[in-house]
């Protein structure tokens, strides 16, 4: 399958720094988005470590016999361990952490996604947007059990409380799943700086209206900033052709 891809990150209109990070493999083999937290230096460091460690692991083990889901899980686990070790060396960053979404296209296998936190992967197919990943947050769990509605979750005071992130010793599970991808699909990987400002219907509308990937990516970031741009905004898009 042939892939086209693009990515962009913007600090938004409120934050003085950008604690998001992303990486796009030049050969289109994998894509990573991370959203750091823990103060200016801590958040930037955590997301940087995550993207660097996952990239290094995938490149070093790309041709190994590891099954793709295990390869992806091990890469994210290594990133978590690297952040923990950095915390030990730098106690001033002891509370830093990061979300991560990684999508991998290995020629011998179907595409896979691994994620921790509330950065998201969407699939846009035949003008319909579907959220592929499930947020690891307090409000996502509350929605699942019927305690609050999705509309209530958008303004809930606990909406940013993560139940899982990198940089924690108690991270015992990475969600890894195969992806159903076919010709014409577009994948959107993003930090919550986008989804905090735009709901799924608004995101889908921009994807329907904008044909080139670069234009769609730019317009999503502009739209999020028009709605307030309260957080860093990162968008990575992949089209299957």
């Amino acid at each position: 399958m042939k892939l086209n891809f693009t990515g962009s990150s913007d600090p938004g209109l409120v934050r003085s720094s950008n604690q998001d990070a992303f990486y796009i493999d030049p050969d289109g083999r994998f894509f990573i988005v991370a959203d750091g937290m823990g103060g200016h230096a801590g958040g930037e460091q955590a997301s940087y470590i995550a993207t660097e460690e996952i990239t290094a692991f995938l490149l070093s083990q790309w041709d190994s016999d590891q099954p793709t889901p295990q390869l992806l899980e091990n890469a994210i686990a290594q990133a978590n361990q690297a952040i923990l070790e950095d915390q030990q060396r730098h106690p001033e960053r002891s509370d830093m952490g990061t979300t991560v979404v990684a999508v991998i296209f290995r020629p011998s296998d179907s595409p896979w996604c691994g994620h921790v936190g509330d950065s998201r992967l969407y699939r846009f197919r035949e003008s319909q947007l579907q959220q592929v990943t499930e947020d690891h947050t307090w409000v996502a769990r509350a929605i699942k059990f019927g305690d609050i509605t999705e509309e209530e979750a958008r303004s809930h005071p606990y909406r940013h409380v993560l139940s899982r992130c990198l940089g924690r010793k108690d991270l015992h599970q990475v969600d890894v799943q195969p992806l159903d991808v076919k010709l014409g699909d577009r994948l959107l990987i993003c930090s919550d700086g986008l989804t905090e400002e735009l709901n799924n219907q608004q995101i889908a509308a921009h994807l329907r209206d904008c044909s080139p990937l670069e234009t769609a990516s730019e317009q999503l970031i502009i739209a999020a900033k028009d709605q307030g741009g309260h957080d860093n905004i990162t968008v990575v898009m992949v089209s299957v052709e």
Side-chain angles (χ1 to χ4, degrees), residues 6 12 28 45 104 115 121 131 144 171 194 223 227:
T6 189
Q45 183 71 1
I104 183 170
H115 91 285
L121 169 65
Q131 183 178 333
K144 189 174 183 178
L171 177 63
L194 179 73
Q227 293 295 316

Side-chain angles (χ1 to χ4, degrees), residues 21-26 29-34 51-52 55 59 236:
F22 75 95
Y23 181 80
I24 295 176
D25 175 62
R29 293 173 295 179
F30 56 89
F31 308 86
I32 308 166
V33 168
T51 54
E52 289 289 303
T55 296
L59 291 177
V236 169

Side-chain angles (χ1 to χ4, degrees), residues 2-3 7 23 59 66 68 87 90 95 106 112-113 120 123 136 151 159 163 175 177 189 200 207 225 236:
K2 179 185 176 183
L3 303 177
Y23 181 80
L59 291 177
Q66 291 185 65
T68 303
Q87 290 172 346
H90 302 279
D95 63 342
R106 230 172 169 193
W112 285 77
C113 169
R120 293 178 178 177
R123 184 185 65 207
H136 299 143
E151 187 60 34
R159 67 187 182 279
S163 58
D175 282 3
Q177 62 193 103
I189 314 169
N200 289 1
L207 295 181
K225 292 169 71 172
V236 169

Side-chain angles (χ1 to χ4, degrees), residues 5 10 33 41 50-51 54 60 76 79 82 92-93 97 122 126 130 132 137 143-144 162 172 184 223 232 234-235:
F5 40 84
D10 192 285
V33 168
T51 54
I54 293 171
S60 68
I76 294 174
E92 71 276 13
R93 297 200 290 259
Y122 289 94
E126 297 174 354
Q130 178 184 359
V132 177
T137 59
I143 292 171
K144 189 174 183 178
L162 296 175
H172 302 305
N232 310 144
T234 298
V235 171

Side-chain angles (χ1 to χ4, degrees), residues 118-135:
D118 63 352
S119 292
R120 293 178 178 177
L121 169 65
Y122 289 94
R123 184 185 65 207
F124 187 68
R125 174 183 291 174
E126 297 174 354
S127 296
Q128 299 301 313
L129 186 71
Q130 178 184 359
Q131 183 178 333
V132 177
T133 54
E134 181 177 316
D135 295 349

